[in-house]
């Protein structure tokens, strides 16, 4: 019997086999969960590239449904939760692993971010947690759990993370407010602040290569994390193992976030 046997939920945010949501999904399936998925809607229904990429991964593991969802569209979210209710009745978890900022706004300095880019990035990367959790509230069993993915750039300035750091600050604050409100229903809301992982999203972040190098030399564990390590923490937060934890931002980042200055061996290599 797995830690999630009999537990049901929805995962938003698989794009391909590098997605953090995919690493989490593999772990949840291995522990017995029943899961429905969303994919980014395809522009050309005759060539459903996004849907096929997700189906190729999740169908062999027994996905309960795979439906399109653009999180900026209320109709799409309503449809996802309609399917969720029809398929499962009640659910036990929701995984929010979604983010986007227009490349021109993500790579430039924050003082050049456009109004439209800001609104879109905030809508997809932060408001979506409200949109998902509000709809899930009716369906979540007591003991249920909502999880989102964030990055240290929401807490501290990480050069290159720019606009997305502002979105992550909003996401993390949203997570705590939702945790305080949903707690009376026995529902927990948490975040994992993951170290850098090579994915489609991270390829759009400026200075991403230097981030990876910094974690190798600067973090207490002196290495980057593996997506499976995020998945193990997700299992903790989504299962009964994390039953007393809510409103938490759990860092899975080789300890990078605790450092206030480079380790001494790093300073010897790169004299300041
Ligand atoms: P990814 O590109 O695999 O996943 C991002 C997902 O967001 C994709 O599935 C994409 O389809 C989805 N998405 C974008 N716009 C959407 C929209 N309008 N509607 C619905 N879905 C939409 O990249 P990832 O790195 O796995 O990112 C997952 C989460 O992890 C994000 O919140 C990201 O910020 C966070 N994160 C990533 C890293 C990293 O280094 N990769 C580190 C910390 C946190």
């Amino acid at each position: 019997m797995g830690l999630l046997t009999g537990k049901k939920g929805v995962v938003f945010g698989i794009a391909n086999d590098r997605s953090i949501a995919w690493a989490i999904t593999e772990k949840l399936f291995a522990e017995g969960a029943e899961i429905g998925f969303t994919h980014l809607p395809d522009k050309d229904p005759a060539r459903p590239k996004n849907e096929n990429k997700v189906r190729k991964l999740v169908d062999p593991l027994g996905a309960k449904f795979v439906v399109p969802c653009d999180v900026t569209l209320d109709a799409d979210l309503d449809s996802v939760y309609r399917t969720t209710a029809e398929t499962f009745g009640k659910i036990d978890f929701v995984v929010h692993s979604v983010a986007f900022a227009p490349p021109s706004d993500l790579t430039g300095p924050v003082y050049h971010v456009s109004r439209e880019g800001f609104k879109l990035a905030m809508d997809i990367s932060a408001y979506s947690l409200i949109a998902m959790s509000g709809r899930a509230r009716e369906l979540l069993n007591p003991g249920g759990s909502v999880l989102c993915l964030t990055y240290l750039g929401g807490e501290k300035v990480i050069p290159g993370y720019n606009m997305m750091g502002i979105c992550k600050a909003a996401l993390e604050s949203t997570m705590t407010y939702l945790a305080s409100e949903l707690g009376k229903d026995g529902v927990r809301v948490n975040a994992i602040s993951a170290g850098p992982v090579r994915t489609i999203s991270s390829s759009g972040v400026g200075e991403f290569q230097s981030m990876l190098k910094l974690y190798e030399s600067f973090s207490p564990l002196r290495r980057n994390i593996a997506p499976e390590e995020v998945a193990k923490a997700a299992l903790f937060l989504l299962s009964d193992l994390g039953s007393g934890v809510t409103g938490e931002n759990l860092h899975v980042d080789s300890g990078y976030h605790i450092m206030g200055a480079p380790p001494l061996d790093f300073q010897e290599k790169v004299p300041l």
Side-chain angles (χ1 to χ4, degrees):
M1 175 138 155
L3 285 169
L4 293 173
T5 301
K7 303 291 182 189
K8 303 167 172 74
V10 190
V11 172
F12 293 79
I14 297 182
N16 61 22
D17 63 359
R18 291 193 156 192
S19 296
I20 292 175
W22 169 239
I24 292 174
T25 292
E26 285 188 294
K27 182 61 74 189
L28 303 186
F29 269 131
E31 292 295 330
E34 295 173 45
I35 317 174
F37 297 89
T38 66
H39 64 82
L40 203 57
D42 284 289
K43 290 197 180 92
D44 178 0
R47 296 176 59 230
K49 276 169 50 181
N50 296 333
E51 178 178 355
N52 286 346
K53 270 192 202 154
V54 175
R55 281 198 179 279
K56 199 173 144 199
L57 294 169
V58 302
D59 278 349
L61 297 183
K64 294 297 179 194
F65 60 79
V66 179
V67 291
C69 180
D70 177 339
V71 296
T72 64
L73 302 177
D74 286 332
D76 278 15
L77 285 157
D78 289 342
S79 169
V80 172
Y81 282 101
R82 231 176 359 254
T83 306
T84 304
E86 284 162 12
T87 310
F88 293 134
K90 293 284 185 178
I91 56 172
D92 305 286
F93 61 85
V94 174
V95 176
H96 173 291
S97 189
V98 170
F100 178 80
S104 52
D105 291 302
L106 187 59
T107 51
V110 166
Y111 54 73
H112 275 159
V113 167
S114 68
R115 191 183 302 275
E116 281 314 306
F118 185 91
K119 282 193 208 163
L120 183 63
M122 280 289 195
D123 191 0
I124 297 177
S125 312
Y127 177 75
S128 55
L129 183 65
I130 295 177
M132 281 179 205
S133 306
R135 286 169 174 81
R137 202 169 71 87
E138 303 281 302
L139 302 179
L140 279 161
N141 283 315
S145 176
V146 177
L147 175 68
C148 64
L149 273 298
T150 187
Y151 179 63
L152 185 62
E155 297 169 69
K156 311 239 176 194
V157 172
I158 306 284
Y161 203 61
N162 303 8
M163 174 66 220
M164 191 48 68
I166 299 170
C167 294
K168 291 306 190 191
L171 179 75
E172 290 167 21
S173 180
T174 302
M175 178 275 290
T176 61
Y177 277 88
L178 288 170
S180 82
E181 290 176 0
L182 299 188
K184 62 182 179 309
D185 302 326
V187 171
R188 299 178 291 110
V189 188
N190 292 289
I192 291 177
S193 184
V197 175
R198 277 181 211 282
T199 62
I200 299 182
S201 290
S202 64
S203 66
V205 172
E207 314 303 327
F208 184 73
Q209 290 303 329
S210 349
M211 277 185 192
L212 288 171
K213 281 196 197 136
L214 268 177
Y215 277 67
E216 277 173 16
S217 351
F218 205 115
S219 69
L221 295 181
R222 304 288 201 279
R223 65 171 175 83
N224 278 289
I225 57 143
E228 295 71 33
E229 293 177 303
V230 179
K232 285 191 275 185
L235 175 63
F236 164 70
L237 291 171
L238 292 172
S239 72
D240 192 54
L241 292 178
S243 60
V245 182
T246 194
E248 185 67 23
N249 184 7
L250 178 59
H251 294 81
V252 180
D253 66 350
S254 299
Y256 186 89
H257 68 286
I258 65 167
M259 300 302 291
L264 290 177
D265 53 345
F266 179 84
Q267 293 187 36
E268 278 154 19
K269 270 192 274 174
V270 187
L272 298 173

